Amino acid sequence: DLFHGIDWDIEGNDDLDSPFNVFTPQCLDKMGHISRFMKEDAYIVGMAPPQSYMNFNNSHFSRYVNRKEPDRPWHAEFNYFG
């Protein structure tokens, strides 16, 4: 079986101070257009958004992917957590 489509797996840079740890609105808009065009041509489109985009405890939204959770009890070395 083949996967006909795209699977966006958005993560940050290993260097937490990298300027590439943020998605610009233009980049996200371009991803949306690409996804829509592919879907219109019957391709499969999936995405695993970074956890740092949403915090269910509040209504804030972040395009940064270098957030850390200092009190997280597991895998403190994983830098792509909200």
Side-chain angles (χ1 to χ4, degrees):
D1 290 330
L2 295 174
F3 179 81
H4 296 282
I6 189 167
D7 181 21
W8 300 103
D9 186 9
I10 304 170
E11 292 184 352
N13 190 298
D14 287 338
D15 176 4
L16 294 180
D17 296 322
S18 170
F20 303 111
N21 278 324
V22 63
F23 286 90
T24 65
Q26 295 85 359
C27 177
L28 295 172
D29 190 53
K30 187 175 288 189
M31 289 172 62
H33 282 101
I34 291 169
S35 298
R36 186 184 77 221
F37 294 143
M38 291 185 71
K39 187 74 172 170
E40 288 173 357
D41 284 341
Y43 287 98
I44 297 169
V45 178
M47 182 172 80
Q51 292 177 342
S52 41
Y53 274 7
M54 299 186 75
N55 179 346
F56 292 106
N57 294 322
N58 63 50
S59 61
H60 297 147
F61 175 87
S62 177
R63 294 176 288 108
Y64 287 85
V65 287
N66 61 349
R67 306 286 188 215
K68 295 221 25 144
E69 180 64 42
D71 298 326
R72 186 179 49 190
W74 58 276
H75 292 287
E77 77 282 359
F78 186 68
N79 295 325
Y80 313 115
F81 183 79

